[in-house]
Amino acid sequence: IVENHGRDTRQLLSILREVQHEFRQVSPEAQQKVAESLGVCITQVRAVVDFYSFLSTVPLGKFDIRISDSITDHMLGSREVAAGLCRKLGIQPGEPRQDGRVGLSFTSCTGLCDQGPAGLINGYAIPRLTEDRTDQIARLINDDIPLGEWPEEFFAIKENIRLADRLLGNPVRPGEALERTLALDRETMFGEIETSQLRGRGGAGFNTAWKWRFCYEGPETAAVCPPGQPAAGIERYVVCNADEGEPGTFKDRVLLQSCADQVFEGMTVCAYLVGAKQGFLYLRGEYLYLHDQLEAVLAARRRHGLLGKSILGREGFDFDIEIRLGAGAYICGEESALIESLEGNRGVPRNRPPYPVTHGYLGKPTVVNNVETFFAAAAIAVHGGEWFAEVGTEKSKGTKLLSICGDCARPGIYEYPFGVTIRQVLEDCGAADVLGVQIGGPSGTFLSDKECDRKLAYEDLATGGSFIVFDRTRDVIGIARNFTHFFAHESCGFCTPCRVGTALLKNLLDKIAEGHGATGDLAELSRLGRFVRSASHCGLGQTAANPILSTLERYPEIYQARLKTIDFEPGFDLDGALATARRLSGRDDANAHLSQS
Ligand code: SF4
């Protein structure tokens, strides 16, 4: 395995994934062998194995089932599904069956919130786990039928595009954006991206044209070259962040499933503009099922001269894309953590500055953009910046893809011009009797039903695209609790405020949710939440308390009502005990008495 990866330490995660696939575990002996073959210290290998939740040092069941722990899967009955499967298979969660045939555990969101309850079997996504389907799964496992012989419909993932606007409604033909890019000069195409005012669609919203230009003309190049000219010999990289781990988000899954060519086209346009020769698609491990079809799209693009050497016959325009799989670490969605992972390390966020755009993969200028950003960039290259910027708001041009799920009749993908109101979205997706909406996933904001006139736009509510609807049957504290457990689980452990703080928040919220909290606990929850927000190293820690703080602010009465009630029955008569003192002092006025109330 190590040989197949060219003994390249940057491929360490891919190597370990393959070892696990082959031997159902990454045993200490296997780790030692990998370390020796790569010529690295064993601690480096161990550290990586420990970091990624999909890597196991103990044998996994031959059928390894992981049920999604996402809030939307809970709402669709995932806990009951897991209990039912355990019963039918004769196992307990977290403990493989004695014959080694099967094991079941829980995992963070699998990106199938629109078709849950969902899970993974040997890494492959399996949606809609109904009672009937779990009966069949248990039978197949008990009969030891290989996964490849299971009914195909078990693994069928629906596209679920419900509303298309100018991007989804105007797909780009393979090569179309590149032809136009090559027909224009570089500055004209940079100008189109600038005119579009496209902002990164991962949530942070940085101006895409600026990012690409910084990469092309970054500080190192500016020192040695005239303005607007890149330095010869400096390698640059283009990375597509497909580590879509925010619970409630699945739009990138749909884009990669249905429009991968356009995403790769956007990456190639970017590569041409910034002068990159190598690109990566960092695909979250949960989307393993997309891997082969994405490789097929890349192979077709190479055959048609849209990737590889001299793209579309343009001498010197060489670019190719490699797919790298993650392994169950939400933090790798953070761009510098993602780059660490690409380099074969633990996905720990780097100190910034310097930013990846100037010091990214292998310390070289690197553009990291979200799947939707590259998808939009390809359309802009074809239709122009003005076409894109015609819709939206002043600071949020174009359209945004939303992943809508939860308590609504029509979950799926909806494309809206920026500026759409929450009310409009709720109406379109068939939500009724709404309690609130979680915008932007657990790290975003919980809005109450009184805030439906707020708008999705950087001026009001910025979002990466997750939109989870909750109706009035849902428990606000239960929602905040699920999200807080998620962050405590996904904290990478690098900095103390987040590592310890998220665990403390989780424990305190559990105590309150179970009815054992006191008034002081609410004050402590708020104080601790604000501390974790201000003192953490990266975005995960800085937003981990959002679910608590935003629900506490909107629903203080719900938290208050959950506190422990104490019926106080005095066992000691305090005022009576003072009777002797009153007699001796000769006082019997009001101030010489104590109230028991
Ligand atoms: Fe890791 Fe959390 Fe610190 Fe980010 S804030 S570096 S996730 S421990």
Side-chain angles (χ1 to χ4, degrees):
I1 291 170
V2 174
E3 206 60 59
N4 289 343
H5 287 272
R7 294 182 182 263
D8 183 353
T9 52
R10 289 168 294 188
Q11 302 267 354
L12 180 55
L13 183 54
S14 307
I15 291 168
L16 294 171
R17 281 191 63 103
E18 276 189 47
V19 169
Q20 172 151 311
H21 180 72
E22 190 71 27
F23 304 103
R24 309 300 308 145
Q25 65 172 322
V26 191
S27 64
E29 296 75 32
Q31 293 175 39
Q32 186 65 46
K33 281 208 166 120
V34 168
E36 283 165 12
S37 309
L38 284 174
V40 299
C41 178
I42 179 66
T43 50
Q44 187 178 337
V45 177
R46 248 186 235 142
V48 172
V49 174
D50 286 350
F51 188 82
Y52 295 92
S53 68
F54 283 3
L55 299 178
S56 174
T57 53
V58 293
L60 295 169
K62 181 175 174 191
F63 294 93
D64 174 38
I65 305 173
R66 296 179 190 228
I67 302 292
S68 170
D69 229 358
S70 156
I71 184 79
T72 49
D73 287 277
H74 276 207
M75 288 155 67
L76 292 165
S78 61
R79 286 283 163 167
E80 294 75 16
V81 162
L85 266 171
C86 283
R87 210 174 43 249
K88 292 166 200 168
L89 293 165
I91 51 175
Q92 292 293 324
E95 293 173 21
R97 205 161 74 182
Q98 284 219 320
D99 62 1
R101 174 83 57 83
V102 59
L104 182 145
S105 56
F106 293 95
T107 186
S108 296
C109 179
T110 52
L112 292 162
C113 308
D114 57 331
Q115 39 206 301
L120 306 171
I121 296 193
N122 292 356
Y124 290 93
I126 188 155
R128 297 179 293 280
L129 289 168
T130 57
E131 180 76 26
D132 179 47
R133 185 163 286 184
T134 53
D135 279 346
Q136 293 184 60
I137 288 173
R139 252 198 314 275
L140 289 163
I141 290 174
N142 286 330
D143 292 346
D144 202 13
I145 307 294
L147 211 57
E149 293 172 27
W150 288 23
E152 262 179 38
E153 73 261 22
F154 280 18
F155 303 96
I157 310 293
K158 285 189 192 157
E159 188 185 51
N160 259 348
I161 295 177
R162 304 269 187 180
L163 183 66
D165 202 285
R166 60 185 49 206
L167 290 181
L168 291 171
N170 291 284
V172 169
R173 169 178 58 75
E176 196 178 1
L178 283 170
E179 282 161 13
R180 184 154 188 268
T181 303
L182 293 180
L184 303 173
D185 63 72
R186 187 190 303 263
E187 273 311 305
T188 310
M189 186 48 82
F190 255 129
E192 293 286 10
I193 307 289
E194 261 158 26
T195 304
S196 73
Q197 297 180 55
L198 173 66
R199 298 172 66 156
R201 296 312 200 222
F206 192 78
N207 184 300
T208 303
W210 293 356
K211 183 182 272 191
W212 292 11
R213 207 177 264 290
F214 286 151
C215 182
Y216 179 60
E217 300 174 2
E220 304 93 333
T221 55
V224 290
C225 296
Q229 296 293 315
I234 290 188
E235 289 161 29
R236 293 175 185 74
Y237 297 92
V238 174
V239 176
C240 180
N241 183 347
D243 196 47
E244 179 178 52
E246 196 77 44
T249 318
F250 47 88
K251 63 173 178 73
D252 293 345
R253 177 201 90 208
V254 175
L255 290 180
L256 291 172
Q257 186 170 335
S258 307
C259 321
D261 237 316
Q262 186 169 331
V263 175
F264 293 140
E265 184 104 357
M267 290 176 71
T268 315
V269 168
C270 173
Y272 176 75
L273 293 183
V274 306
K277 303 226 174 289
Q278 177 65 52
F280 295 98
L281 175 80
Y282 189 91
L283 184 67
R284 69 183 301 225
E286 289 81 349
Y287 293 169
L288 173 66
Y289 73 98
L290 289 173
H291 182 267
D292 289 355
Q293 74 186 63
L294 290 170
E295 285 289 10
V297 174
L298 289 176
R301 290 183 70 82
R302 287 183 197 111
R303 277 199 308 280
H304 294 113
L306 301 174
L307 277 179
K309 292 255 175 231
S310 304
I311 291 174
L312 287 179
R314 175 64 63 94
E315 194 64 30
F317 180 17
D318 307 335
F319 179 66
D320 213 328
I321 297 171
E322 182 184 335
I323 300 174
R324 292 279 190 88
L325 275 161
Y330 166 78
I331 189 61
C332 289
E334 198 276 347
E335 61 177 358
S336 66
L338 185 154
I339 288 171
E340 284 291 319
S341 184
L342 277 180
E343 292 180 2
N345 303 323
R346 295 159 66 91
V348 173
R350 293 177 177 171
N351 286 328
R352 302 187 305 171
Y355 293 92
V357 72
T358 54
H359 297 76
Y361 181 66
L362 306 179
K364 300 287 196 274
T366 304
V367 168
V368 183
N369 273 135
N370 171 261
V371 172
E372 189 185 343
T373 314
F374 286 122
F375 176 72
I380 292 164
V382 172
H383 302 289
E386 279 181 17
W387 167 84
F388 183 79
E390 270 166 10
V391 295
T393 64
E394 195 191 336
K395 292 185 182 159
S396 316
K397 298 296 185 193
T399 59
K400 180 80 193 83
L401 268 60
L402 300 182
S403 316
I404 301 182
C405 55
D407 294 316
C408 60
R410 294 177 289 280
I413 302 298
Y414 292 69
E415 183 187 3
Y416 287 103
F418 270 114
V420 66
T421 61
I422 302 295
R423 188 180 306 286
Q424 178 70 55
V425 179
L426 289 172
E427 209 177 295
D428 292 347
C429 70
D433 197 24
V434 173
L435 167 76
V437 184
Q438 183 74 27
I439 304 288
S443 60
T445 311
F446 191 96
L447 296 184
S448 80
D449 59 326
K450 304 199 175 42
E451 298 169 90
C452 289
D453 290 320
R454 292 189 64 181
K455 293 181 173 162
L456 293 176
Y458 291 102
E459 294 94 322
D460 187 5
L461 292 165
T463 174
S466 167
F467 191 104
I468 310 177
V469 185
F470 298 100
D471 70 19
R472 286 184 201 287
T473 63
R474 307 297 172 190
D475 169 27
V476 166
I477 297 179
I479 296 165
R481 192 180 183 190
N482 177 282
F483 292 160
T484 305
H485 277 243
F486 167 76
F487 284 121
H489 178 256
E490 295 295 343
S491 168
C492 82
F494 170 74
C495 66
T496 310
C498 171
R499 185 183 65 247
V500 178
T502 52
L504 291 175
L505 284 171
K506 173 175 87 91
N507 294 344
L508 206 46
L509 193 55
D510 283 351
K511 181 181 168 191
I512 293 166
E514 283 158 16
H516 303 303
T519 310
D521 290 326
L522 284 188
E524 177 60 9
L525 204 54
S526 175
R527 188 198 64 78
L528 190 59
R530 280 182 275 112
F531 171 74
V532 174
R533 176 184 278 178
S534 63
S536 292
H537 173 66
C538 83
L540 187 151
Q542 289 156 12
T543 56
N546 284 3
I548 292 174
L549 296 177
S550 63
T551 51
L552 201 51
E553 182 190 328
R554 286 167 175 82
Y555 304 98
E557 70 289 352
I558 293 182
Y559 279 88
Q560 286 287 349
R562 194 67 65 87
L563 298 181
K564 183 167 56 180
T565 49
I566 304 169
D567 288 331
F568 181 61
E569 282 292 333
F572 178 67
D573 181 3
L574 207 51
D575 192 55
L578 290 174
T580 309
R582 275 194 295 272
R583 186 170 45 80
L584 290 173
S585 63
R587 281 185 60 185
D588 200 18
D589 54 50
N591 289 332
H593 286 269
L594 280 176
S595 163
Q596 294 275 30
S597 61

